[in-house]
């Protein structure tokens, strides 16, 4: 039998890192709602940093795509005032995210790169939304998955860079720190990293 998991951080109870999660969700920049669209396979993974971000941010909602016997409901994803956080392409250019173009809803697709790309193409309305992107290489830190490019970030890091671009660098640093704690706790659970140090009061 698999060890029981914490319902909040989803790590094994013996490695729970909820002491590092905020007691009250952190507020997103004023007027912005996070909408996380999880690929159904990603939603099941305890290593999903997008789900972790949605747990600690407000306002935020999580939708799952591709769940067996649950057809996608377009009405569940309001697109008015929304922008998609996703790299641009020749057919769909993206504007650098900034305080003056922050959307009312920031939609983030969560999954592997192939899964995320398919969701953008297949979910009604996503492909035609205005795109916003964060630029520059990703941080040089330990991650749970090998990035496919030097700009590739985990979902929580992409959201962190997005909130900084919208004017809240302090929230960015808190999300970065949470990412690093979560990675270390997960790797310790796997037996490949030391335990987290006691958290300072």
């Amino acid at each position: 039998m698999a060890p029981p998991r914490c319902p909040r951080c989803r790590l094994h109870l013996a490695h729970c890192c909820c002491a590092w999660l905020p007691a009250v969700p952190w507020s997103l920049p004023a007027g912005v709602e996070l909408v996380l669209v999880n690929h159904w396979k990603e939603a099941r993974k305890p290593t999903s940093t997008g789900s972790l971000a949605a747990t600690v941010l407000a306002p935020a909602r999580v939708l799952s795509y591709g769940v067996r016997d649950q057809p996608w409901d377009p009405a569940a994803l309001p697109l008015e005032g929304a922008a998609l956080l996703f790299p641009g392409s020749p057919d769909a250019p993206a504007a650098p995210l900034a305080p003056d173009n922050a959307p009312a809803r920031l939609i983030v697709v969560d999954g592997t790169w192939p899964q995320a790309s398919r969701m953008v193409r297949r979910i009604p309305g996503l492909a035609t939304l205005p795109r916003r992107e964060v630029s520059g290489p990703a941080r040089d830190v330990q991650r749970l998955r090998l990035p496919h490019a030097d700009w590739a970030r985990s979902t929580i890091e992409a959201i962190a860079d997005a909130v900084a671009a919208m004017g809240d660098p302090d929230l960015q640093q808190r999300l970065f720190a949470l990412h690093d704690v979560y990675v270390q706790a997960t790797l310790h659970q796997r037996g490949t990293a030391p335990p987290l140090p006691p958290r300072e009061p």
Side-chain angles (χ1 to χ4, degrees), residues 20 23 28-29 36 52-53 55 69 72 85 92 107 110-111 113 123 129 138 159 167 175 190 192 194-195 199:
W20 279 262
L28 284 160
L36 184 79
L52 181 65
T55 296
D69 298 326
W72 176 257
L85 184 65
I107 299 177
D110 189 30
W113 179 248
I123 294 177
L129 278 180
I159 294 168
L175 289 169
R190 296 175 182 174
T192 59
R199 189 179 182 192

Side-chain angles (χ1 to χ4, degrees), residues 73-167:
D73 178 10
L77 182 62
L79 301 177
E80 183 178 356
L84 177 67
L85 184 65
F86 203 76
S89 68
D91 296 330
L97 194 57
D100 62 359
N101 68 6
R105 294 184 179 91
L106 185 66
I107 299 177
V108 179
V109 288
D110 189 30
T112 65
W113 179 248
Q115 289 166 352
S117 300
R118 285 194 296 271
M119 285 193 289
V120 170
R121 293 194 305 269
R122 294 175 180 175
I123 294 177
L126 280 194
T128 57
L129 278 180
R131 292 190 185 187
R132 300 289 183 264
E133 65 182 359
V134 291
S135 59
R139 299 186 303 150
D140 184 15
V141 295
Q142 197 165 31
R143 293 188 175 81
L144 298 175
R145 303 177 194 174
L146 184 67
H148 68 278
D150 65 353
W151 53 263
R153 299 154 165 79
S154 66
T155 304
I156 196 172
E157 290 176 293
I159 294 168
D161 285 331
V163 298
M166 291 187 289

Side-chain angles (χ1 to χ4, degrees), residues 15 142-144 183-195:
H15 301 276
Q142 197 165 31
R143 293 188 175 81
L144 298 175
V183 167
Q184 183 175 345
T186 302
L187 294 178
H188 180 243
Q189 178 175 283
R190 296 175 182 174
T192 59

